[in-house]
Each structure stands twice: as C-alpha cells, then as structure tokens.
Amino acid sequence: MYIGTVTFRAVITSNGLKFPSCEFNPNQAGVEKVVIESQSGYEILSTVHIDGVATERVGRAIANKVLTAVLDRIAFRYSLAIEDSQIVSSWFDSVIPLPGAQVQPHSGELAIIEQHVGLVYGIPAADLKTELERTPLSGEPFFSSYRLALQSRSPGEKFMHLYSLLLRFFEDEQAKVDDFIRIQDSAVPQSPDPRPGHNNRETVYTRLRNEFAHRRSDVNMQDTKADMEQHVGGLIGLVKQAITLQDATR
C-alpha cells in the first residue's frame, strides 16, 4: 500500500478568483485531504494527499479524478473558465517498504498557459471549504460540460457551445429552449422567425444561434458575432440555471 501527494496547477483564463490556502475532505476513498489555494487569482495550486492505495498509478488516477471534480465545481459555482490541470509534482512511498525498494518523487511538466487579465474576486477559505465539502449538488453530472464550454477561446464558440447544452436539456427543440428562456427572463428580446411559413418568435439567443449556424439573408456575420459577445453572459446564467434544475426534475 502507498501513501503520497500529487500537486496540480490549473490556470484561470477568465475573471480571476483569489483565496488563501484551504484544506478540505473530498470524501473519496484513498484520499486523506486536499489543500488548494489561489494566491494570484489566476492560478490554482492543489495538493491531493493520498492514503492507502495499491499502486502509485492508482494514486495519481484518484488524485486526478478528485481534482477534476473540484475544478468543475469551482468553475460552475463562480462561472469561471478554468483550464485542465497539470501535474507539477508527485511523491509516493510504500507504507511497508519492500526490501531494496526505493521510491523516488516524480515531477510533471509544468505547462505555461497565457493568462487573460480581468477582474479578480476574493473569497474566504471557509466559504470555499463549505462549497467543496457539500454533498453532490443538483445538476453536478453536467458541471464538466459547463466548464468545457467556458474554456472556449472566442465569444462565438462559447455562445454556440452553451446553446448546444440547452438543446441537450430540452430534447433538441429550439421551441422548448425558448419557452424555458422566456420563463427565466420575461423581458428577453424577441423577433419573428424569418423562415417562410413560420409565425413563431425567437429569443435573441436562438436568433443568434441560427444566424451563426444557418444561412439567413440580410445577416452581417460581424454584427452577429458582436451580439453574441454582448449576450454570452446572459446565456451563461441561463445554462447554469438549466443545469441546476436537472436533478430537481428527475
């Protein structure tokens, strides 16, 4: 059996989140504790303490699984774009050393990722500890998809990725997506569906999605992309609300 630690680095590429060192229990077999901090607001350093696993490989796999779930939850809770984590270093030792065995620490490649400067929000370690030790939250199986969408490099890509998530929740039907949006925001801008024979109205989110994905006359793509950038913040909130409602409706 092995004990050890695995240290990760993850970069925040959206607005930042700053918090002091926070120790919490992820309630995962084989994990003693996790220590996480973000001193700069744009870099999250985490150390997963492994206790009683069969092999080093199993220990690193468990650590990666735990840390991924942690970053997914932070990204969802605070609407952040957090890149995939990189292993900075790892150390393992056998609880009962084998004769002649020597276990050496392993170092991972430290990826340097360009940071995007924006607002940095600060939270107390106690608040983060409470958030990370909660039992599974409503919609948590979709947190990873939400985080992946927020990692998109351009506002247009992010907008389309987020809208595709809404379609997953509403049977791939835009009419149901628009009904949901109207319930959440009764003042949402709407316009007539320009297709011949259609008398329904589209929300601004569906209109922009269709202007980007389909050929529509009198559409300036630069204007569409600019409007996507303007409205992507609202779409982030709508997708977050849809994810939160998933478990509650099952």
Side-chain angles (χ1 to χ4, degrees):
M1 301 295 285
Y2 287 84
I3 61 173
T5 60
V6 185
T7 299
F8 298 87
R9 174 183 183 264
V11 171
I12 302 173
T13 57
S14 59
N15 289 332
L17 185 70
K18 187 174 183 178
F19 51 87
S21 180
C22 170
E23 179 181 313
F24 68 96
N25 181 1
N27 297 310
Q28 168 69 46
V31 177
E32 177 190 357
K33 63 182 179 181
V34 177
V35 180
I36 187 169
E37 66 178 3
S38 177
Q39 297 293 347
S40 70
Y42 291 103
E43 178 183 73
I44 298 175
L45 295 177
S46 312
T47 300
V48 182
H49 293 251
I50 300 297
D51 184 20
V53 295
T55 66
E56 296 178 43
R57 182 177 180 181
V58 169
R60 278 188 286 271
I62 291 174
N64 186 68
K65 176 183 177 182
V66 167
L67 200 275
T68 297
V70 167
L71 296 182
D72 287 346
R73 186 175 283 200
I74 292 174
F76 182 80
R77 173 64 178 81
Y78 300 102
S79 296
L80 300 175
I82 305 176
E83 295 294 317
D84 293 339
S85 60
Q86 304 289 331
I87 293 180
V88 176
S89 63
S90 63
W91 166 87
F92 285 91
D93 199 359
S94 58
V95 177
I96 303 177
L98 300 176
Q102 293 184 349
V103 180
Q104 301 293 331
H106 296 268
S107 295
E109 294 290 333
L110 179 58
I112 304 300
I113 305 173
E114 181 182 358
Q115 297 180 0
H116 297 265
V117 177
L119 297 175
V120 177
Y121 303 97
I123 57 172
D127 290 358
L128 184 63
K129 176 180 173 68
T130 298
E131 183 69 27
L132 297 179
E133 289 187 340
R134 288 183 183 178
T135 55
L137 306 175
S138 295
E140 189 141 8
F142 301 100
F143 286 7
S144 60
S145 296
Y146 178 83
R147 179 180 160 210
L148 183 61
L150 294 190
Q151 290 177 0
S152 301
R153 294 301 184 183
S154 70
E157 178 188 355
K158 185 180 299 184
F159 189 102
M160 295 299 287
H161 198 155
L162 289 165
Y163 194 95
S164 72
L165 283 178
L166 283 182
L167 286 172
R168 285 176 57 185
F169 301 142
F170 297 100
E171 301 174 357
D172 207 30
E173 294 187 22
Q174 289 186 359
K176 292 182 178 180
V177 169
D178 275 347
D179 287 343
F180 167 77
I181 293 173
R182 292 185 191 102
I183 291 172
Q184 302 303 314
D185 180 9
S186 60
V188 63
Q190 300 180 63
S191 57
D193 186 331
R195 293 175 299 174
H198 290 77
N199 56 9
N200 59 293
R201 294 179 65 80
E202 297 176 324
T203 66
V204 64
Y205 302 101
T206 295
R207 174 179 66 79
L208 291 173
R209 184 267 177 192
N210 288 333
E211 285 181 0
F212 191 90
H214 304 293
R215 172 178 289 185
R216 285 189 168 182
S217 60
D218 301 324
V219 169
N220 182 305
M221 191 54 65
Q222 292 301 323
D223 291 342
T224 296
K225 289 181 178 180
D227 286 347
M228 282 180 160
E229 185 171 5
Q230 178 184 349
H231 289 284
V232 70
L235 188 57
I236 287 172
L238 289 165
V239 173
K240 191 171 183 178
Q241 183 62 18
I243 289 174
T244 302
L245 293 174
Q246 292 309 299
D247 283 353
T249 60
R250 292 179 181 177

